[in-house]
């Protein structure tokens, strides 16, 4: 058998359920908090009191790096999910089960706990606050979710054993969802893979599915990148294409197949928002979602595009920028640049849209011809100008100066006419591929809590 790792907030029953599971399966039970206490010779309240949470997290990381890799049940501390290094080790070759429970029930269970509070807040408030702060990390930690609010320890263990044996998708659902995939424009090889995984010889109840949701989405490098990362991090997952003109249908199929997550692309980044249970603050402000993570019956939406745009220009904090375009990706770009205290002026072919976007974010806007008066340090192209097969550039070559940094969000072709012109002048350039790399890295973290080194993504995409 594989290793089973139990995640969840304190009081969700990890130790009790894990002990029963280990007994039923005849394998060892390991509680990482117990190991920290044994190795340090002190209780967790003592470690917190004398050296603080930081020291506890170091000890916890050491313990996790020394765990056996199979044939055991591991119960983890509630905050373990916040550390990507822990998640990488705990998720490899393992089945992750997230235990959760109603806040009031957790409160009652913890009332007699000797463990120290993490904040100075009253216990009930702390539960709400800490779970809210960790909710995306808990979602990332779950292959399966079990609500222990109203179950006995034995019942929760039975539930997990049943999930391991049968998974969450019935044979009938597997067949009907496969028919839907087979009717979509999925490339032949990917369709054969889905056939084998859903209804064929590689069918495994523990395999989790993810995919890119778009129309079209044949161009997406997501399947290549994510499937290679699943191999590298030893995750029992498969990434495919949810290729359909209706985001309603895609979300329905994703829920039927109990998908772990979706990367949302054109033309659904706005429309998907109405179909989600929770949307994080950045995505709400930008007005677009490109990442959906399913956990515990809920669909959570986030936006990693803005992080992908922010990363390559984070050394330009305080600079003066012109943002060309006022559409969907321009909103993510404006949010990213303003987050870096960059002075942003939006120019757009249709000026009223530049004005509307600038008013939403509290930055400047102007007519396209104002470019030469502004003398920017950074120019960001958020229009499709120069996208294959278009060979034009959003600016004339003589408008570029070698002191400028030119950032083209268009990534097909990898070197656009705009980037080629800027390189000729001697400008520093950033291509749209950079955005894909950094946003995918953030997306992987949202899906699994693991931080992939940038170099690994570059090697796969090379
Ligand atoms: P969108 O919502 O349709 O917005 C397009 C914007 O470009 C609008 O402001 C539009 O101006 C302007 N525009 C269109 N054609 C133009 C032209 N010929 N001359 C000047 N302006 C023009 O599209 P989007 O989702 O923001 O995507 C824009 C581009 O960003 C895409 O084509 C894609 O290449 C790129 N992108 C890259 C990434 C990445 O990861 N690197 C991610 C997403 C998008 P009007 O308001 O006047 O129509």
């Amino acid at each position: 058998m594989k290793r089973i790792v139990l995640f969840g907030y304190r009081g969700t029953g990890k130790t009790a359920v894990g002990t029963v599971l280990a007994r039923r399966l005849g394998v060892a039970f390991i509680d990482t908090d117990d190991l920290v206490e044994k190795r340090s010779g002190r209780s967790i309240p003592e470690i917190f009191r004398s050296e603080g949470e930081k020291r506890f997290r170091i000890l916890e990381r050491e313990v996790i790096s020394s765990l056996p890799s199979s044939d055991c049940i591991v119960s983890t501390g509630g905050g373990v999910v916040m550390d990507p290094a822990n998640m990488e080790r705990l998720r490899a070759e393992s089945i992750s089960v997230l235990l959760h429970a109603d806040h009031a029930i957790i409160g009652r269970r913890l009332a007699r706990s000797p463990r120290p509070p993490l904040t100075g807040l009253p216990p009930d408030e702390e539960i709400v606050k800490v779970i809210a702060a960790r909710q995306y990390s808990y979602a990332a930690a779950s292959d399966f979710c079990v609500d222990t609010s109203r179950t006995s320890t034995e019942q929760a263990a039975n539930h997990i054993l049943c999930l391991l044996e049968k998974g969450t998708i019935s044979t009938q659902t597997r067949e009907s969802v496969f028919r839907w995939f087979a009717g979509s424009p999925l490339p032949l090889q990917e369709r054969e893979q889905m056939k084998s995984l859903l209804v064929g010889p590689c069918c495994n109840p523990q395999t989790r599915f993810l995919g890119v949701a778009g129309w079209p989405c044949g161009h997406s490098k997501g399947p290549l990148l994510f499937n290679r990362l699943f191999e590298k991090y030893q995750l029992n997952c498969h990434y495919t294409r949810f290729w359909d003109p209706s985001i309603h249908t895609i979300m329905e199929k994703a829920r039927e197949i109990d998908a772990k997550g979706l990367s949302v692309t054109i033309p659904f980044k706005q429309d998907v928002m109405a179909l989600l249970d929770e949307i994080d603050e950045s995505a709400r402000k930008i007005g677009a979602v490109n990442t959906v993570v399913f956990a515990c019956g809920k669909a959570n939406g986030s936006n990693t595009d803005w992080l992908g745009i922010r990363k390559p220009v984070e050394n330009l904090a305080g600079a003066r920028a012109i943002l060309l375009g006022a559409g969907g990706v321009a909103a993510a770009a404006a949010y990213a640049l303003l987050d870096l205290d960059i002075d942003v002026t939006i120019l757009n072919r249709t000026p009223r849209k530049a004005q509307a976007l600038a008013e939403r974010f509290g930055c400047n806007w102007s007519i396209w011809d104002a470019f030469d008066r502004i003398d920017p340090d950074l120019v960001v192209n958020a229009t499709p100008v120069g996208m294959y097969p278009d060979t034009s550039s959003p600016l004339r070559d003589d408008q570029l100066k070698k002191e400028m940094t030119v950032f083209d969000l268009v990534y097909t072709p990898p070197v656009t006419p705009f980037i080629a012109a800027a390189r000729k002048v001697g400008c520093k350039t950033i291509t749209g591929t950079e955005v894909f790399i950094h946003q995918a890295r953030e997306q992987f973290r949202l899906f699994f809590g693991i931080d992939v080194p940038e170099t690994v993504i570059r090697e796969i995409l090379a």
Side-chain angles (χ1 to χ4, degrees):
M1 78 162 241
K2 280 185 175 180
R3 188 171 66 168
I4 300 170
V5 182
L6 302 178
F7 293 99
Y9 191 68
R10 295 193 296 169
T12 53
K14 289 165 293 179
T15 304
V17 174
T19 307
V20 173
L21 266 181
R23 176 169 40 81
R24 299 275 292 273
L25 291 166
V27 296
F29 173 69
I30 301 168
D31 184 312
T32 60
D33 281 351
D34 279 356
L35 275 188
V36 168
E37 292 190 330
K38 275 188 197 128
R39 290 198 187 170
S40 65
R42 283 172 301 163
S43 70
I44 289 174
E46 276 167 1
I47 300 170
F48 267 73
R49 251 196 318 274
S50 58
E51 293 177 86
E53 184 182 349
K54 201 169 166 197
R55 176 67 188 148
F56 169 74
R57 297 292 169 207
I58 292 169
L59 293 169
E60 185 181 51
R61 200 193 255 212
E62 284 169 10
V63 159
I64 284 165
S65 68
S66 69
L67 290 174
S69 56
S70 64
D71 288 355
C72 62
I73 309 293
V74 178
S75 165
T76 58
V80 80
V81 291
M82 305 300 278
D83 182 339
N86 287 340
M87 295 307 288
E88 185 177 331
R89 293 197 177 103
L90 289 167
R91 276 193 141 284
E93 282 278 4
S94 303
I95 298 155
S96 302
V97 181
L98 177 70
L99 303 188
H100 62 109
D102 296 347
H103 292 179
I105 289 171
I106 292 177
R108 281 205 293 279
R109 289 177 184 163
L110 292 182
R112 275 166 293 150
S113 164
R115 293 276 160 85
L118 287 170
T119 64
L121 294 169
D124 289 353
E125 282 179 42
E126 176 172 292
I127 292 167
V128 173
K129 190 172 170 184
V130 176
I131 290 180
R134 292 178 184 166
Q135 66 169 329
Y136 286 89
S137 302
Y138 281 141
S142 77
D143 290 339
F144 298 105
C145 299
V146 175
D147 185 348
T148 63
S149 304
R150 282 160 205 86
T151 56
S152 68
T153 304
E154 292 286 341
Q155 284 169 330
N158 280 342
H159 188 165
I160 293 171
L161 290 172
C162 185
L163 285 174
L164 298 182
E165 194 192 337
K166 297 184 178 152
T168 51
I169 328 168
S170 70
T171 309
Q172 210 181 1
T173 304
R174 285 175 176 274
E175 282 164 3
S176 84
V177 175
F178 174 66
R179 281 196 294 278
W180 176 76
F181 275 109
S184 78
L186 208 57
L188 190 61
Q189 194 198 352
E190 292 181 26
R191 190 181 312 172
E192 287 305 311
Q193 277 176 325
M194 283 305 279
K195 184 176 183 181
S196 176
L197 288 164
L198 273 172
V199 293
C202 294
C203 176
N204 175 334
Q206 289 146 21
T207 303
R208 304 300 315 277
F209 293 93
L210 300 94
V212 52
W215 181 261
C217 57
H219 64 284
S220 172
K221 293 198 168 85
L224 164 77
L225 175 64
F226 285 106
N227 286 323
R228 292 279 293 278
L229 291 176
F230 298 159
E231 274 171 41
K232 177 175 169 56
Y233 292 101
Q234 298 171 288
L235 303 168
N236 185 358
C237 293
H238 181 72
Y239 191 100
T240 185
R241 295 172 212 268
F242 290 75
W243 191 339
D244 192 276
S246 160
I247 187 64
H248 287 265
T249 304
I250 289 174
M251 286 294 282
E252 189 186 297
K253 297 302 166 192
R255 286 183 196 272
E256 280 178 28
I257 206 178
D258 195 25
K260 167 99 184 107
L262 293 174
S263 314
V264 183
T265 185
I266 43 168
F268 300 134
K269 289 185 187 183
Q270 282 88 24
D271 293 350
V272 74
M273 296 177 81
L275 307 175
L276 303 174
D277 299 289
E278 303 229 4
I279 296 174
D280 77 13
E281 191 190 343
S282 305
R284 257 187 282 119
K285 286 188 176 157
I286 292 164
V289 158
N290 78 329
T291 309
V292 177
V293 180
F294 297 93
C296 308
K298 285 188 176 170
N300 303 320
S302 304
N303 187 305
T304 64
D305 282 336
W306 80 275
L307 293 164
I309 296 167
R310 187 187 189 282
K311 183 76 184 170
V313 290
E314 64 188 8
N315 60 330
L316 292 175
R320 184 184 306 147
I322 283 186
L323 174 57
L324 301 171
V329 80
Y335 187 80
L337 300 180
L338 291 165
D339 190 63
L340 289 167
D341 284 330
I342 289 176
D343 176 7
V344 180
T345 302
I346 301 172
L347 310 183
N348 192 44
R349 183 177 62 179
T350 311
R352 68 178 162 74
K353 289 194 194 161
Q355 181 179 9
L357 189 60
E359 283 171 0
R360 238 178 85 199
F361 287 110
C363 63
N364 310 312
W365 68 278
S366 195
I367 54 165
W368 196 272
D369 291 343
F371 183 92
D372 299 316
R373 279 187 270 120
I374 294 172
D375 192 22
D377 310 300
L378 168 68
V379 185
V380 181
N381 177 35
T383 76
V385 177
M387 184 168 78
Y388 181 82
D390 179 21
T391 54
S392 55
S393 189
L395 296 174
R396 297 187 316 274
D397 293 1
D398 65 280
Q399 289 179 294
L400 298 172
K401 292 184 188 155
K402 72 172 186 325
E403 297 76 24
M404 290 175 184
T405 298
V406 168
F407 188 178
D408 198 344
L409 302 186
V410 174
Y411 58 91
T412 46
V415 177
T416 60
F418 191 32
I419 291 287
R423 284 182 181 165
K424 227 184 237 171
V425 174
C427 303
K428 214 179 137 213
T429 57
I430 306 165
T431 67
T433 305
E434 293 300 301
V435 181
F436 179 75
I437 290 168
H438 295 293
Q439 75 77 22
R441 184 181 183 193
E442 296 297 333
Q443 205 161 62
F444 200 77
R445 198 202 307 260
L446 284 169
F447 288 149
F448 301 103
I450 296 171
D451 192 10
V452 186
E454 212 180 293
T455 47
V456 170
I457 299 182
R458 285 186 197 283
E459 274 166 27
I460 295 173
L461 295 177

